[in-house]
Amino acid sequence: MEIFKRNIISIQSLVSAGYVGNSVAGLAIQLHGINPIILPTVMLSSHAEQNIYYGDVVSPDLFKKLIRGICEVGLREETKFAVSGYINTAELIDLTAEFITGWKKVQKEAIYIYDPVLGDTRANGLYIPEAIAKHSVATLLPLCDVLTPNQFELEFIVGQKITTERELVSLITGHPILSSKQVILTSAVLADTIAGQIEVIVVENGQISRFSTENIHIEVVGTGDLFTAIMTSQLANGRKASEAIQNAMNFVCRVLTFTKEKGLTSMSASAIMQAYPSLLL
């Protein structure tokens, strides 16, 4: 297998304790035998939904130095996949766009996966200021090959509620940017979604594919970051998109089932590792 398939660049948050952003993505990527190349956007003691946490946004100067180091040792050329997640300042969004643009010039097979991480219905809206969310969409969406928004985030991007398959396809195919992307809608619940299930719905070139798994009723942060990391790693290891998506869904379902059964309120290393055998099937 070519060397560039063994790295994934991951641009998102980093926490000292817990499993969100790069702190879960890095582990998920390594479980596939792939090297994570970590670019943190914020560094916190724990995720921001904890009652107590400390930390700060990574400064643009430090972010640029990390990028410079990655570039000067040749990692851009050796990496086919990059993912971006939580970024909450315009400066870091712009630097990410600059990095992705430069990476695509030196790696002609580059695939950029944009996970917006703008907000969700569980949080009752946006995680970040609306102006920053709009800047993220305007700046990073045009650069991506694949995007993995949850339903709230896709509705924010298109400016309209989505309740049916027909609405979903129409809004994406009629959008000046989304129409040329592979849109992987996560945590989807449409009017015809089977009770007790949750879906991932893919729209590409006007075609739609729907994948489902059991909806585990537990509030856990970081599951979207985990899903995107598992899916991207599966793709990097040569899986077809349909296999990568279903495998990622099944993995997250197993993690959530374990977490709920053990009475936990957040993901753990034990929850992630007990789901590991499903990646080997």
Side-chain angles (χ1 to χ4, degrees):
M1 186 176 290
E2 297 92 335
I3 190 170
F4 62 69
K5 292 185 178 178
R6 310 308 299 167
N7 300 325
I8 294 175
I9 297 167
S10 183
I11 308 168
Q12 50 190 317
S13 63
L14 184 66
V15 297
S16 300
Y19 292 87
V20 299
N22 271 322
S23 298
V24 71
L27 174 56
I29 292 166
Q30 288 171 318
L31 289 178
H32 289 79
I34 301 171
N35 305 308
I37 300 171
I38 301 299
L39 281 172
T41 55
V42 298
M43 299 179 72
L44 303 175
S45 57
S46 60
H47 66 78
E49 291 188 32
Q50 292 275 27
N51 291 330
I52 298 173
Y53 68 93
Y54 300 95
D56 211 340
V57 176
V58 170
S59 72
D61 184 58
L62 175 56
F63 196 73
K64 285 189 283 188
K65 287 177 179 176
L66 295 175
I67 288 175
R68 179 179 178 181
I70 288 171
C71 296
E72 290 188 2
V73 298
L75 287 173
R76 288 187 308 174
E77 292 84 351
E78 297 174 357
T79 303
K80 182 177 177 180
F81 288 87
V83 176
S84 73
Y86 183 81
I87 311 174
N88 66 343
T89 71
E91 293 88 349
L92 293 188
I93 290 169
D94 292 341
L95 288 172
T96 297
E98 182 181 328
F99 172 70
I100 294 297
T101 301
W103 167 59
K104 286 194 166 191
K105 288 179 180 178
V106 300
Q107 173 48 267
K108 301 305 181 183
E109 296 187 68
I111 297 174
Y112 169 40
I113 298 173
Y114 172 47
D115 187 3
V117 192
L118 307 175
D120 63 23
T121 52
R122 177 181 55 80
N124 297 316
L126 293 168
Y127 302 135
I128 59 180
E130 184 174 358
I132 301 300
K134 288 181 177 179
H135 185 65
S136 176
V137 172
T139 306
L140 298 178
L141 178 60
L143 298 176
C144 79
D145 304 285
V146 180
L147 66 152
T148 59
N150 61 36
Q151 192 158 337
F152 171 87
E153 290 161 345
L154 184 59
E155 290 173 347
F156 178 84
I157 291 170
V158 300
Q160 185 175 324
K161 289 286 186 182
I162 301 169
T163 58
T164 68
E165 179 180 300
R166 183 174 181 179
E167 289 174 348
L168 175 63
V169 175
S170 176
L171 286 167
I172 290 174
T173 56
H175 192 278
I177 300 175
L178 293 177
S179 58
S180 64
K181 310 297 183 183
Q182 182 184 53
V183 180
I184 302 176
L185 173 61
T186 67
S187 302
V189 179
L190 300 183
D192 62 346
T193 298
I194 297 172
Q197 299 282 300
I198 194 163
E199 296 190 88
V200 170
I201 305 176
V202 181
V203 181
E204 184 177 20
N205 298 322
Q207 302 299 308
I208 189 167
S209 302
R210 299 176 71 164
F211 305 84
S212 64
T213 191
E214 182 182 0
N215 188 0
I216 309 300
H217 293 286
I218 181 174
E219 297 291 349
V220 175
V221 299
T223 53
D225 306 327
L226 178 60
F227 170 84
T228 299
I230 294 289
M231 183 198 73
T232 305
S233 300
Q234 293 270 306
L235 292 172
N237 276 348
R239 293 276 193 177
K240 296 178 181 178
S242 58
E243 295 175 330
I245 291 166
Q246 191 66 65
N247 288 346
M249 292 181 72
N250 294 343
F251 186 92
V252 173
C253 183
R254 288 188 63 166
V255 169
L256 291 178
T257 298
F258 179 92
T259 302
K260 185 175 182 179
E261 288 176 349
K262 298 301 181 181
L264 305 173
T265 57
S266 61
M267 286 190 286
S268 65
S270 296
I272 292 168
M273 290 308 300
Q274 65 81 35
Y276 175 68
S278 67
L279 299 178
L280 305 177
L281 300 178

